[in-house]
Amino acid sequence: MYVIFYNDKPILLTDNDSIGENFKCFNCDKVSINDALNQLKNTGLKGAFFVDNDIDLLYQNFVKNFKIIEAAGGLVRNYSKELLFIFRNGVWDLPKGKVEKNESLCDAALREVEEECGIIGLQLESFFDKTYHIYEFKNQLIFKITHWFTMISNSNTKLIPQLEEGITKAVFLDAETQQDVFKNTYPNLKLLLEKYRAY
């Protein structure tokens, strides 16, 4: 199953047609997708879902209706097993950013974490997961795929948040303090962090 967020509400691409209450099923065509997005934005609908036995084909048919942007970021822990977070535009987030032309996903993830947090001594471990969300930019619907990698930092140098990107804090947080993050972060990151905790 794919879980995509739009206006902090989930869109599910699934082979299961028995989804929770206040979720509505839509057909996977441009008109129906736009209708789903409008209803998610302007009504009390909790979520939307699209059903097909072939989920990967469903995903391909769904995303072709959007401009796709790929990003990469890091789940960075230090030797105290604290996790690196940023505070951007009033919301807790993880360091990430757009993949540049001819740049590998791994290189983009490392570069973005370094730029947004002023961190050095990063060691990339492995690919972890993807998150998906849809947003509007200049009257165009964007489908953003973010590729997440686990990383380790052995640096004790002071972190420097990238202020020009709206980042006012870059900080390692322990498991207890991370509870505050869950009160003020994005739904797709909550899912990612829950999966990471079980990792």
Side-chain angles (χ1 to χ4, degrees):
M1 181 171 70
Y2 291 86
V3 183
I4 303 151
F5 283 91
Y6 174 68
N7 271 24
D8 290 342
K9 294 181 179 180
I11 299 169
L12 310 179
L13 307 184
T14 177
D15 59 2
N16 178 9
D17 59 3
S18 299
I19 303 297
E21 189 176 334
N22 209 13
F23 274 67
K24 185 174 178 181
C25 185
F26 292 87
N27 295 321
C28 191
D29 58 67
K30 191 169 185 67
V31 172
S32 297
I33 289 171
N34 286 334
D35 185 30
L37 297 180
N38 285 331
Q39 289 192 43
L40 287 172
K41 184 177 181 180
N42 299 310
T43 73
L45 191 65
K46 187 177 177 181
F49 66 102
F50 298 79
V51 181
D52 196 296
N53 290 329
D54 187 337
I55 298 177
D56 291 329
L57 180 61
L58 178 61
Y59 173 81
Q60 292 169 21
N61 288 331
F62 185 87
V63 299
K64 70 183 182 184
N65 294 283
F66 303 89
K67 177 181 179 182
I68 297 175
I69 287 182
E70 295 199 86
L75 291 146
V76 184
R77 71 181 189 280
N78 60 18
Y79 287 136
S80 300
K81 296 189 177 178
E82 298 168 316
L83 194 61
L84 178 61
F85 288 90
I86 58 174
F87 196 68
R88 187 200 319 253
N89 300 323
V91 181
W92 285 108
D93 203 348
L94 294 169
K96 66 181 182 304
K98 188 176 176 182
V99 178
E100 295 179 353
K101 188 176 181 180
N102 298 323
E103 185 178 35
S104 73
L105 295 173
C106 295
D107 287 345
L110 287 167
R111 175 184 55 76
E112 285 292 343
V113 174
E114 289 169 354
E115 289 176 357
E116 294 194 341
C117 302
I119 193 170
I120 58 173
L122 278 178
Q123 178 185 339
L124 190 141
E125 288 186 312
S126 62
F127 171 77
F128 181 69
D129 204 359
K130 297 177 190 176
T131 55
Y132 310 89
H133 78 276
I134 297 166
Y135 64 96
E136 297 171 48
F137 182 71
K138 295 183 178 178
N139 296 318
Q140 187 172 24
L141 286 168
I142 309 296
F143 187 92
K144 187 173 183 179
I145 307 166
T146 304
H147 306 261
W148 296 100
F149 294 84
T150 56
M151 303 177 189
I152 295 177
S153 170
N154 59 8
S155 173
N156 291 319
T157 58
K158 183 179 178 181
L159 299 175
I160 304 168
Q162 193 177 20
L163 297 176
E164 61 269 27
E165 289 292 324
I167 303 168
T168 53
K169 292 180 191 175
V171 60
F172 281 99
L173 300 176
D174 61 26
E176 185 176 341
T177 315
Q178 287 174 32
Q179 297 303 318
D180 294 332
V181 169
F182 274 75
K183 298 172 187 174
N184 184 22
T185 191
Y186 303 103
N188 60 349
L189 286 189
K190 288 181 184 178
L191 290 179
L192 184 74
L193 291 167
E194 285 167 359
K195 184 174 179 180
Y196 184 73
R197 283 180 172 183
Y199 173 60

PDB file of all heavy atoms in Angstrom, residues 44-58:
ATOM      1  N   GLY A  44     -14.948  17.887   5.141  1.00  0.00           N
ATOM      2  CA  GLY A  44     -14.507  17.175   6.333  1.00  0.00           C
ATOM      3  C   GLY A  44     -14.071  15.751   6.056  1.00  0.00           C
ATOM      4  O   GLY A  44     -13.870  14.970   6.999  1.00  0.00           O
ATOM      5  N   LEU A  45     -13.906  15.406   4.781  1.00  0.00           N
ATOM      6  CA  LEU A  45     -13.460  14.063   4.422  1.00  0.00           C
ATOM      7  C   LEU A  45     -12.116  13.770   5.087  1.00  0.00           C
ATOM      8  O   LEU A  45     -11.184  14.558   5.015  1.00  0.00           O
ATOM      9  CB  LEU A  45     -13.326  13.954   2.894  1.00  0.00           C
ATOM     10  CG  LEU A  45     -13.133  12.565   2.304  1.00  0.00           C
ATOM     11  CD1 LEU A  45     -14.359  11.696   2.541  1.00  0.00           C
ATOM     12  CD2 LEU A  45     -12.843  12.668   0.812  1.00  0.00           C
ATOM     13  N   LYS A  46     -12.043  12.622   5.742  1.00  0.00           N
ATOM     14  CA  LYS A  46     -10.839  12.262   6.505  1.00  0.00           C
ATOM     15  C   LYS A  46      -9.709  11.773   5.604  1.00  0.00           C
ATOM     16  O   LYS A  46      -8.530  11.969   5.882  1.00  0.00           O
ATOM     17  CB  LYS A  46     -11.202  11.190   7.531  1.00  0.00           C
ATOM     18  CG  LYS A  46     -10.103  10.836   8.488  1.00  0.00           C
ATOM     19  CD  LYS A  46     -10.594   9.822   9.508  1.00  0.00           C
ATOM     20  CE  LYS A  46      -9.484   9.392  10.444  1.00  0.00           C
ATOM     21  NZ  LYS A  46      -9.946   8.383  11.416  1.00  0.00           N
ATOM     22  N   GLY A  47     -10.086  11.091   4.510  1.00  0.00           N
ATOM     23  CA  GLY A  47      -9.080  10.556   3.608  1.00  0.00           C
ATOM     24  C   GLY A  47      -9.730  10.012   2.352  1.00  0.00           C
ATOM     25  O   GLY A  47     -10.952   9.890   2.261  1.00  0.00           O
ATOM     26  N   ALA A  48      -8.889   9.693   1.365  1.00  0.00           N
ATOM     27  CA  ALA A  48      -9.363   9.146   0.094  1.00  0.00           C
ATOM     28  C   ALA A  48      -8.595   7.868  -0.201  1.00  0.00           C
ATOM     29  O   ALA A  48      -7.475   7.676   0.290  1.00  0.00           O
ATOM     30  CB  ALA A  48      -9.163  10.155  -1.034  1.00  0.00           C
ATOM     31  N   PHE A  49      -9.193   7.001  -1.015  1.00  0.00           N
ATOM     32  CA  PHE A  49      -8.447   5.821  -1.433  1.00  0.00           C
ATOM     33  C   PHE A  49      -8.813   5.402  -2.849  1.00  0.00           C
ATOM     34  O   PHE A  49      -9.899   5.698  -3.347  1.00  0.00           O
ATOM     35  CB  PHE A  49      -8.601   4.666  -0.434  1.00  0.00           C
ATOM     36  CG  PHE A  49      -9.972   4.066  -0.305  1.00  0.00           C
ATOM     37  CD1 PHE A  49     -10.286   2.856  -0.922  1.00  0.00           C
ATOM     38  CD2 PHE A  49     -10.952   4.688   0.457  1.00  0.00           C
ATOM     39  CE1 PHE A  49     -11.538   2.279  -0.786  1.00  0.00           C
ATOM     40  CE2 PHE A  49     -12.215   4.119   0.606  1.00  0.00           C
ATOM     41  CZ  PHE A  49     -12.509   2.909  -0.019  1.00  0.00           C
ATOM     42  N   PHE A  50      -7.838   4.748  -3.480  1.00  0.00           N
ATOM     43  CA  PHE A  50      -7.959   4.234  -4.840  1.00  0.00           C
ATOM     44  C   PHE A  50      -7.602   2.748  -4.778  1.00  0.00           C
ATOM     45  O   PHE A  50      -6.637   2.369  -4.118  1.00  0.00           O
ATOM     46  CB  PHE A  50      -7.006   4.979  -5.785  1.00  0.00           C
ATOM     47  CG  PHE A  50      -7.284   6.450  -5.886  1.00  0.00           C
ATOM     48  CD1 PHE A  50      -6.853   7.326  -4.897  1.00  0.00           C
ATOM     49  CD2 PHE A  50      -7.977   6.964  -6.974  1.00  0.00           C
ATOM     50  CE1 PHE A  50      -7.118   8.692  -4.984  1.00  0.00           C
ATOM     51  CE2 PHE A  50      -8.239   8.324  -7.073  1.00  0.00           C
ATOM     52  CZ  PHE A  50      -7.810   9.192  -6.076  1.00  0.00           C
ATOM     53  N   VAL A  51      -8.385   1.911  -5.448  1.00  0.00           N
ATOM     54  CA  VAL A  51      -8.243   0.463  -5.304  1.00  0.00           C
ATOM     55  C   VAL A  51      -7.895  -0.199  -6.635  1.00  0.00           C
ATOM     56  O   VAL A  51      -8.488   0.116  -7.669  1.00  0.00           O
ATOM     57  CB  VAL A  51      -9.549  -0.160  -4.755  1.00  0.00           C
ATOM     58  CG1 VAL A  51      -9.391  -1.669  -4.592  1.00  0.00           C
ATOM     59  CG2 VAL A  51      -9.946   0.476  -3.435  1.00  0.00           C
ATOM     60  N   ASP A  52      -6.927  -1.119  -6.578  1.00  0.00           N
ATOM     61  CA  ASP A  52      -6.620  -1.986  -7.722  1.00  0.00           C
ATOM     62  C   ASP A  52      -5.870  -3.201  -7.187  1.00  0.00           C
ATOM     63  O   ASP A  52      -5.111  -3.077  -6.218  1.00  0.00           O
ATOM     64  CB  ASP A  52      -5.752  -1.238  -8.745  1.00  0.00           C
ATOM     65  CG  ASP A  52      -5.733  -1.943 -10.101  1.00  0.00           C
ATOM     66  OD1 ASP A  52      -5.225  -3.076 -10.162  1.00  0.00           O
ATOM     67  OD2 ASP A  52      -6.212  -1.355 -11.087  1.00  0.00           O
ATOM     68  N   ASN A  53      -6.062  -4.349  -7.824  1.00  0.00           N
ATOM     69  CA  ASN A  53      -5.324  -5.541  -7.404  1.00  0.00           C
ATOM     70  C   ASN A  53      -3.827  -5.407  -7.658  1.00  0.00           C
ATOM     71  O   ASN A  53      -3.020  -6.009  -6.962  1.00  0.00           O
ATOM     72  CB  ASN A  53      -5.855  -6.789  -8.124  1.00  0.00           C
ATOM     73  CG  ASN A  53      -7.238  -7.171  -7.640  1.00  0.00           C
ATOM     74  OD1 ASN A  53      -7.580  -6.939  -6.482  1.00  0.00           O
ATOM     75  ND2 ASN A  53      -8.036  -7.763  -8.523  1.00  0.00           N
ATOM     76  N   ASP A  54      -3.462  -4.611  -8.665  1.00  0.00           N
ATOM     77  CA  ASP A  54      -2.052  -4.357  -8.982  1.00  0.00           C
ATOM     78  C   ASP A  54      -1.691  -2.974  -8.437  1.00  0.00           C
ATOM     79  O   ASP A  54      -1.897  -1.957  -9.108  1.00  0.00           O
ATOM     80  CB  ASP A  54      -1.843  -4.433 -10.498  1.00  0.00           C
ATOM     81  CG  ASP A  54      -0.376  -4.360 -10.882  1.00  0.00           C
ATOM     82  OD1 ASP A  54       0.440  -3.832 -10.092  1.00  0.00           O
ATOM     83  OD2 ASP A  54      -0.040  -4.817 -11.987  1.00  0.00           O
ATOM     84  N   ILE A  55      -1.141  -2.937  -7.233  1.00  0.00           N
ATOM     85  CA  ILE A  55      -0.887  -1.649  -6.563  1.00  0.00           C
ATOM     86  C   ILE A  55       0.196  -0.849  -7.285  1.00  0.00           C
ATOM     87  O   ILE A  55       0.113   0.375  -7.380  1.00  0.00           O
ATOM     88  CB  ILE A  55      -0.513  -1.867  -5.081  1.00  0.00           C
ATOM     89  CG1 ILE A  55      -1.669  -2.539  -4.342  1.00  0.00           C
ATOM     90  CG2 ILE A  55      -0.180  -0.539  -4.403  1.00  0.00           C
ATOM     91  CD1 ILE A  55      -1.382  -2.865  -2.898  1.00  0.00           C
ATOM     92  N   ASP A  56       1.204  -1.535  -7.798  1.00  0.00           N
ATOM     93  CA  ASP A  56       2.278  -0.811  -8.497  1.00  0.00           C
ATOM     94  C   ASP A  56       1.766  -0.147  -9.773  1.00  0.00           C
ATOM     95  O   ASP A  56       2.153   0.982 -10.096  1.00  0.00           O
ATOM     96  CB  ASP A  56       3.442  -1.745  -8.809  1.00  0.00           C
ATOM     97  CG  ASP A  56       4.183  -2.174  -7.546  1.00  0.00           C
ATOM     98  OD1 ASP A  56       4.215  -1.379  -6.580  1.00  0.00           O
ATOM     99  OD2 ASP A  56       4.708  -3.291  -7.510  1.00  0.00           O
ATOM    100  N   LEU A  57       0.887  -0.837 -10.498  1.00  0.00           N
ATOM    101  CA  LEU A  57       0.280  -0.239 -11.683  1.00  0.00           C
ATOM    102  C   LEU A  57      -0.625   0.930 -11.279  1.00  0.00           C
ATOM    103  O   LEU A  57      -0.645   1.968 -11.948  1.00  0.00           O
ATOM    104  CB  LEU A  57      -0.530  -1.288 -12.447  1.00  0.00           C
ATOM    105  CG  LEU A  57      -1.235  -0.796 -13.725  1.00  0.00           C
ATOM    106  CD1 LEU A  57      -0.217  -0.271 -14.735  1.00  0.00           C
ATOM    107  CD2 LEU A  57      -2.076  -1.918 -14.332  1.00  0.00           C
ATOM    108  N   LEU A  58      -1.350   0.770 -10.199  1.00  0.00           N
ATOM    109  CA  LEU A  58      -2.192   1.849  -9.678  1.00  0.00           C
ATOM    110  C   LEU A  58      -1.350   3.082  -9.366  1.00  0.00           C
ATOM    111  O   LEU A  58      -1.712   4.207  -9.715  1.00  0.00           O
ATOM    112  CB  LEU A  58      -2.923   1.362  -8.425  1.00  0.00           C
ATOM    113  CG  LEU A  58      -3.818   2.361  -7.684  1.00  0.00           C
ATOM    114  CD1 LEU A  58      -4.945   2.864  -8.583  1.00  0.00           C
ATOM    115  CD2 LEU A  58      -4.390   1.714  -6.422  1.00  0.00           C
TER     116      LEU A  58
END
